[in-house]
Amino acid sequence: LWLNDNALTQLNISQNRNLKFVYAENNSLTLLNTSGLDDLEKIGMNGNDITNINVTGNANLQILRLADNNVQSIDVSNNTVLTELNVTGNPLTCIQVNSDQLNSIPSDWQKDADDEYSENCNS
């Protein structure tokens, strides 16, 4: 699903159970619900106004692009095949990961310099 460079403020993909990828970059989206989308492999949401996204149930997620949004927190600890992550330009301070991820951060993961990876962002 390619929906880049529109003026979208809402996007409901919850009934697209076989969806493999969604790119809706440079819109005005504030929310993306990916629950129940077990086959989802790629999310591209750069340049929106997303404040919250829950990808803990997307075990097949390989790419997550959320640069230049308003994401306050993110938990990718269940995304064990995630090879590309971009959360630059968000008001994050912590990215929650699992111990394997923390010990070997993939080279294609990008964050702001003042953000940190942690196994527990709630402490």
Side-chain angles (χ1 to χ4, degrees):
L1 183 60
W2 294 95
L3 297 168
N4 293 346
D5 303 310
N6 289 287
L8 296 176
T9 58
Q10 295 181 350
L11 178 62
N12 184 347
I13 57 173
S14 62
Q15 299 303 310
N16 298 302
R17 300 287 183 210
N18 297 321
L19 193 64
K20 295 273 189 192
F21 65 89
V22 57
Y23 286 89
E25 298 182 339
N26 304 314
N27 286 285
S28 296
L29 297 170
T30 57
L31 175 69
L32 183 68
N33 181 355
T34 62
S35 62
L37 302 179
D38 299 337
D39 294 335
L40 197 58
E41 297 174 357
K42 300 172 183 159
I43 298 173
M45 291 290 142
N46 292 341
N48 280 283
D49 293 316
I50 294 173
T51 57
N52 187 18
I53 185 168
N54 183 344
V55 293
T56 57
N58 304 108
N60 293 313
L61 195 61
Q62 301 164 15
I63 295 173
L64 180 58
R65 296 179 183 157
L66 292 170
D68 302 317
N69 279 278
N70 290 307
V71 176
Q72 304 284 323
S73 64
I74 187 84
D75 180 350
V76 295
S77 60
N78 289 336
N79 306 105
T80 58
V81 296
L82 188 65
T83 57
E84 183 182 328
L85 173 70
N86 187 339
V87 291
T88 58
N90 284 282
L92 285 169
T93 55
C94 186
I95 299 146
Q96 189 155 331
V97 296
N98 63 45
S99 60
D100 290 338
Q101 291 166 323
L102 188 59
N103 292 328
S104 182
I105 299 295
S107 60
D108 285 333
W109 281 26
Q110 299 175 336
K111 64 175 184 59
D112 293 330
D114 57 343
D115 296 343
E116 67 177 1
Y117 298 111
S118 175
E119 290 179 74
N120 185 359
C121 289
N122 297 322
S123 59

